[in-house]
Amino acid sequence: MTATLTAPPQVKKKPGKPKQNREAILLFLPALLPVLLLSVYPLIRGIALGFTDARAGLNVETNFVGFGNFGKLLQNDLFWDSFRIGVIWTLSVTILQFVAALGLALLLNTDLKFRGVARTLALIPWAMPPVVVAIMWRLLLHPTNGPVNEVLQTLHLTDHPINFLGDFGTALPAVIVVGIWVGMPMTTVTLLAGLQGIDRTLYEAAAVDGAGAWSQFWNITLPQLKTVIVAITSLDMIWNFNSFGLVYVLTAGGPGGKTMLPMLFAYNEAFRYGNFGMAAAMGDVMVVIIILFLFFYLRNRLRSEA
Amino acid sequence: MRARPAARVLQYVAVVAYLVFLGFPLLWLISSSLKSPQEFASITPSLLPKHFDVSNYTDALNEQGLVRGLGNSLQISIYTTILVLIVALPVSYALARFRSRLRPLTNGWILVSQVFPVILIVIPLFMILRPLHLTNTIPGVVIVYMVWSLPFALWMLQGYVAAVPRELEEAASVDGAGRIRTIVSIVMPLLRPGLIATAMFTFISAWNEFFFALVLLQDPQLKTLPLVLARFVGAEGQVQFGPLAAASVLATVPSLVFFAFLQRRLTSGLLSGAVKG
């Protein structure tokens, strides 16, 4: 699921009483069994599965194989490829969409016309079914009757139609552009909300002190936006790193594995080749990467917050 | 911030570029869905169809698989939404009102569930649901969606509950109403906007979901709309792009309705709430 999620809303502190605890547990009951059975348990089981040789199919004996799957992964060139592609994809989409979104949010925060239109349009890509976004971009980038090729040829930027999603060199960049298209509007709106929360008087005081636009941006806007920026970029990175449906329908990891994101690699291992243990091991590697990322990124970025 | 005229022009160029980047693909999709097959095959595509042709829509709706997918998606999304509301209301009430030990655990789970790659969850889910004969069934998908939409629903709803004044509940309890009575007759009516927003969010995420459906639903009779659409594209060679575009537009309609209702609340309320924390 994709949605902005930072900290749950604050609740007034009130000392917990035993009676309240009992009531709370009663109210939790309808959720408890399904969540334990279909979320908490599968998560733990999934992590453990990475250390077994589980395969698809009925009643197959699973054995504990220690770090065997991880050893195999590390020796697999395709694993390293998907890892590298995943990092390129995640960083490119997150950083490019952030820079564009920040610029736009600053623009939309001024007294510009079209502001309403821009904001209304902004959330549509985020709420569209990813499969539909993928289909739409396959229409746009189609080599023979897609408008992108048509425009490029009319402007004489290319003399032959480009098969964006089908050529080795262009597939990953094309997929990245689509990723930006999906994520940028949401990031823009989030940053805009953050910008609107900044106290106007800070800018007025700075202007009185003779600070120019650039200096106001560096010394007021960025520091004030820090929490929002850290929250939205870390979530974007995690979502992008874990993304699946969009690229699955755009390229299915092709051509020649050039867009094989880690999730696509893991999906293929599990449901095309039946290697459940191997796919879970891939999932474990992804979890470790995400945890390390969160640890270092959030620790560095939020150190001065506290 | 006021800008000089030259900077002003640049600003408008940037905004227009953004609107084109964002809006053109949508426009192209809608326009494609209204083109006749001949016009679609034309080597020089035009932005707007020469004459509007709704045959793609009728073709799409005559396609057995698509109609079935539409029906399956509707069923699954509606059941999921109802279940989520039933389960999320008491929990979010408890989260917003009581300081029990379950609160940090739940909030921890909410965050963790956003972060983990679904591949880890889906294999064990498959292994749990299969002996229960729930793989390849609509109820199986519905309970999985229920559990996986719950974190965000809880996060949304507890904010709305926290906004309900406690004094009203205290008054009710002075009048002798029990906890459940209070929730049903005092809190629920005041929560209506929050419940509607949560319902719409849940509906859209179930409607758009792809990964769990791909893994859990093998039977062509049960495939959801996103699965049917994806299979259409996969069937390379004889893709009927016109009907596909029409079906894609139809699949996006619920999201558009969602925005018509929620645009203001989403952009201002939800987001600023999320940002301020």
Side-chain angles (χ1 to χ4, degrees), chain A residues 107 110-115, chain B residues 5-19:
Chain A
L107 267 182
T110 61
D111 52 339
L112 217 63
K113 285 187 184 113
F114 304 130
R115 203 169 117 164
Chain B
R8 198 73 191 173
V9 171
L10 274 178
Q11 285 184 350
Y12 276 106
V13 169
V15 171
V16 169
Y18 164 70
L19 289 179

Side-chain angles (χ1 to χ4, degrees), chain B residues 58-124:
Chain B
T58 50
D59 284 357
L61 289 174
N62 281 328
E63 183 71 44
Q64 285 289 311
L66 271 177
V67 176
R68 218 182 292 123
L70 206 68
N72 291 335
S73 277
L74 261 178
Q75 266 192 61
I76 290 175
S77 309
I78 290 172
Y79 295 152
T80 304
T81 307
I82 295 171
L83 262 182
V84 165
L85 288 186
I86 292 174
V87 170
L89 181 66
V91 177
S92 50
Y93 180 84
L95 283 174
R97 284 289 191 254
F98 300 135
R99 272 191 74 205
S100 81
R101 239 169 259 130
L102 288 167
R103 209 172 84 195
L105 279 176
T106 311
N107 286 330
W109 169 71
I110 291 176
L111 286 172
V112 163
S113 65
Q114 301 287 307
V115 163
F116 273 65
V118 278
I119 189 80
L120 278 180
I121 293 115
V122 82
I123 300 171

Side-chain angles (χ1 to χ4, degrees), chain B:
Chain B
M1 276 182 276
R2 294 262 146 65
R4 281 158 291 150
R8 198 73 191 173
V9 171
L10 274 178
Q11 285 184 350
Y12 276 106
V13 169
V15 171
V16 169
Y18 164 70
L19 289 179
V20 170
F21 180 56
L22 206 62
F24 180 78
L26 296 168
L27 188 62
W28 188 261
L29 181 69
I30 295 168
S31 144
S32 301
S33 74
L34 293 164
K35 285 177 182 168
S36 64
Q38 299 90 304
E39 203 184 335
F40 215 101
S42 147
I43 306 171
T44 50
S46 58
L47 177 55
L48 293 174
K50 298 216 170 58
H51 32 76
F52 291 90
D53 188 342
V54 291
S55 67
N56 289 325
Y57 286 86
T58 50
D59 284 357
L61 289 174
N62 281 328
E63 183 71 44
Q64 285 289 311
L66 271 177
V67 176
R68 218 182 292 123
L70 206 68
N72 291 335
S73 277
L74 261 178
Q75 266 192 61
I76 290 175
S77 309
I78 290 172
Y79 295 152
T80 304
T81 307
I82 295 171
L83 262 182
V84 165
L85 288 186
I86 292 174
V87 170
L89 181 66
V91 177
S92 50
Y93 180 84
L95 283 174
R97 284 289 191 254
F98 300 135
R99 272 191 74 205
S100 81
R101 239 169 259 130
L102 288 167
R103 209 172 84 195
L105 279 176
T106 311
N107 286 330
W109 169 71
I110 291 176
L111 286 172
V112 163
S113 65
Q114 301 287 307
V115 163
F116 273 65
V118 278
I119 189 80
L120 278 180
I121 293 115
V122 82
I123 300 171
L125 268 182
F126 198 72
M127 296 161 94
I128 295 165
L129 294 175
R130 200 169 40 191
L132 300 171
H133 302 289
L134 284 170
T135 49
N136 238 339
T137 65
I138 284 186
V141 176
V142 168
I143 53 172
V144 169
Y145 281 8
M146 187 269 276
V147 169
W148 286 94
S149 333
L150 205 53
F152 194 76
L154 288 181
W155 179 77
M156 260 174 105
L157 259 187
Q158 61 175 310
Y160 284 102
V161 176
V164 173
R166 264 167 203 272
E167 291 72 26
L168 290 177
E169 286 178 53
E170 278 154 19
S173 87
V174 169
D175 289 346
R179 183 68 72 184
I180 303 294
R181 261 285 298 286
T182 315
I183 295 179
V184 172
S185 58
I186 308 283
V187 182
M188 248 168 71
L190 290 169
L191 270 185
R192 238 178 58 202
L195 288 171
I196 293 173
T198 312
M200 290 184 125
F201 186 86
T202 308
F203 185 93
I204 295 292
S205 29
W207 183 264
N208 290 351
E209 208 284 330
F210 183 67
F211 185 74
F212 284 128
L214 180 70
V215 174
L216 295 175
L217 296 170
Q218 306 295 327
D219 184 349
Q221 303 286 323
L222 296 176
K223 288 193 190 295
T224 57
L225 191 55
L227 292 179
V228 177
L229 288 175
R231 206 195 42 197
F232 260 84
V233 196
E236 210 66 67
Q238 44 195 355
V239 191
Q240 294 280 314
F241 272 124
L244 186 60
S248 299
V249 172
L250 291 179
T252 312
V253 167
S255 305
L256 296 179
V257 174
F258 174 62
F259 279 106
F261 275 100
L262 269 191
Q263 206 267 328
R264 187 150 302 164
R265 214 195 307 282
L266 257 182
T267 49
S268 57
L270 186 72
L271 284 170
S272 62
V275 162
K276 281 169 195 154

Side-chain angles (χ1 to χ4, degrees), chain A residues 88-120:
Chain A
I88 296 173
W89 150 269
T90 304
L91 290 180
S92 320
V93 173
T94 309
I95 294 172
L96 293 175
Q97 98 185 1
F98 171 75
V99 172
L102 181 61
L104 265 162
L106 288 169
L107 267 182
L108 295 178
N109 200 32
T110 61
D111 52 339
L112 217 63
K113 285 187 184 113
F114 304 130
R115 203 169 117 164
V117 187
R119 284 174 71 167
T120 309

